[in-house]
Amino acid sequence: MYSAIAFLAAIAASIVFLTRRYNALSHLSTAYLHLRYPIKSADGKEGLPTLPFNWPNGQGNIEKYLRGRENSTKWGSQYGSIYRIWSGFHGEIILTTPNDIETVFRDSHTHLKANANDSGHYMYQLLGICLGLVSGQEWRSLRKATEAPFTRTATTTYVEGMMNHAKLHIASLCETKPEKWQLRPYADLRIYPFLALADILYGTISSELKARLLEIIPGRDSVFAHMMMGGVTRYPWAKYLPLKANREMRQFKQAWARWNDDAHAEAMNKVEKGECAPIIVMYQAVANGSISREALLQTLDEMLFANLDVSIGALAWSFVFIAAYPHVQARLLSELKTALVDPESTETYLMSQSNYLHHILLEGSRLRPVAAFSVAQACPTQRQVGTYNLPAGSKFVVDAHALNVRDPLWGPDNTTFRPERWAEGGVKRAKDVRYCYWRFGFGPRVCLGKYVVDLMMKALIVQVVRGWEVKLEDEKGGAWVWEEDTWALPPELRIACEKRRER
Ligand code: HEM
Ligand SMILES: *[C@@H]1O[C@H](CO)[C@@H](O)[C@H](O)[C@H]1NC(C)=O
Ligand SMILES: *[C@@H]1O[C@H](CO)[C@@H](O)[C@H](O)[C@H]1NC(C)=O
Ligand SMILES: *[C@@H]1O[C@H](CO)[C@@H](O)[C@H](O)[C@H]1NC(C)=O
Ligand SMILES: CC(=O)N[C@H]1CO[C@H](CO)[C@@H](O)[C@@H]1O
């Protein structure tokens, strides 16, 4: 009670003294937010360490995602192992230790996702009800209707097709110079996962459909850029304004729906031949009312567009690490020579989660997680985390670097790229690593695409590395001096591929 009065007095004082200052609004909001959303330790003595609110976004998006890597370390040393930031006016509790993460995430299938990712109404129209952003019964029905093609067993059946995709993609990249060519880590990796995934979902699509699918990409990119910029389109009433953003949204959604209907029709024509593409069963679930048409279209967008950037980044980093560390490449090559003798052993090799190739992916994602902080989600019940009582509905975010790099499990060479560590002592047992490593999420609700993504990455890596020696270069073919703490892909970085000579 006294502290509340003191707070009010402090606010009154703030109004008098701070309104003249530039950052008065930040201070006022900080005081208000502390009062409105108090979080105390179990003995009621301490408040949860909380960052001051910066007008008007808090730490939302820029500091959290774009500067996330630096701020993870900075905030961790300043505020401790559990603290709160602001994403707009939404408090988000940052978790940095495996114990706390287990307490919160062991029932992740019951968690509530932030409405449209806290990104406003424009985002809601694009992806507001996709699989990754819905909760409860809605999530269960949608997951059931879309998960069949992504299980481990289903993924095993894609190995041969994926290897062919990878081969064709490489052929298209090195067409003119198969002896020595350069791979651009981002631009040259975009179409490959896209078409590979489309084939899985829709069956092998005709070249006409493929061309139309590729034509949809620029419009989708533009809509996504409007969403990221935010501003007025965050508000529901803005959809009535004659904005370019709104027109492009309508055009994209129409084109996407029509393309899917046509791809579905094409797949139906092949049913007689005994092919049953996953899209057919997904459309059945719409027809019998288990899921809505809009939710399915958004989920297909989520799979093919929204998650793709993430996959390209992960793939690019794998190539960079393999090229940067010749001893890693040599060991991988010798593993490939013994593993890829026939189609059957290729399948076993690509699906294994305990070989050197797999450890390269794990190690790359450990050091370059796809985001510094995970997307916020809320537990439905109250939790005691550390000494704090966190009310039901508190939103939680995982600090990827605190786990993947700073957790003592990875010491003392925690910042070194060393795939071998995944075959050693403490790290080897899945149970020890479970909550010390962030990649596909925690608990029962994790990334739907995890097996397919790994297969996609492995197929391309295998096809490149067994045919070409990879090295880091700049765009003009000059040597590249690798620095271990490079963490944003430099635009002029290239993967040079030089044909291997048989010995
Ligand atoms: C390296 C690439 C990828 C990484 C690191 C990744 C990681 C993640 C993470 C961290 C989540 C959130 C889990 C949570 O906390 O709720 C997620 C969800 C999801 N991912 Fe991925 N993802 C990748 C690629 C893909 C791809 C290519 C697909 C395409 C099928 C995909 C489909 C999904 C879906 C549908 C969800 C929502 C699942 C649900 O909520 O039930 N992901 N992913
Ligand atoms: C939600 O936002 C995060 C961070 O910007 C992003 O990584 C994630 O892909 C978004 N989710 C969807 C479904 O777009
Ligand atoms: C609707 O169709 C899907 C896909 O064929 C099926 O799994 C589900 O059981 C059906 N649900 C009902 C209520 O008929
Ligand atoms: C992780 O690496 C950093 C920098 O190399 C070092 O300061 C820190 O002590 C390491 N942490 C552990 C747990 O080994
Ligand atoms: C609140 C806070 O500490 N933000 C920092 C995040 O990181 C950037 C870049 O290092 C800093 O400029 C911010 O001050």
Side-chain angles (χ1 to χ4, degrees), residues 104-134:
V104 171
F105 279 85
R106 62 175 165 236
D107 57 355
S108 64
H109 59 304
T110 68
H111 285 186
L112 302 171
K113 291 294 183 100
N115 185 21
N117 224 354
D118 284 342
S119 298
H121 192 73
Y122 196 73
M123 172 68 175
Y124 182 79
Q125 295 172 63
L126 187 65
L127 288 166
I129 56 172
C130 75
L131 180 62
L133 296 185
V134 293

Side-chain angles (χ1 to χ4, degrees), residues 343-405:
E344 207 170 301
S345 66
T346 302
E347 186 177 297
T348 313
Y349 180 68
L350 291 190
M351 292 307 295
S352 161
Q353 304 213 339
S354 58
N355 54 28
Y356 196 64
L357 174 59
H358 193 76
H359 293 161
I360 288 176
L361 298 196
L362 293 176
E363 186 71 345
S365 308
R366 183 178 76 79
L367 292 174
R368 297 296 179 277
V370 294
F373 293 98
S374 70
V375 176
Q377 45 186 289
C379 293
T381 52
Q382 186 264 344
R383 297 289 142 109
Q384 173 155 358
V385 182
T387 57
Y388 298 100
N389 272 330
L390 305 172
S394 300
K395 287 190 202 175
F396 294 96
V397 163
V398 172
D399 177 339
H401 293 99
L403 288 184
N404 292 10
V405 183

Side-chain angles (χ1 to χ4, degrees), residues 452-467:
V452 170
V453 173
D454 277 355
L455 174 60
M456 215 146 67
M457 294 177 38
K458 288 175 182 179
L460 196 69
I461 293 171
V462 163
Q463 296 287 36
V464 171
V465 170
R466 74 168 161 185

Side-chain angles (χ1 to χ4, degrees), residues 405-415:
V405 183
R406 299 203 298 275
D407 191 86
L409 179 70
W410 310 111
D413 59 348
N414 56 357
T415 56

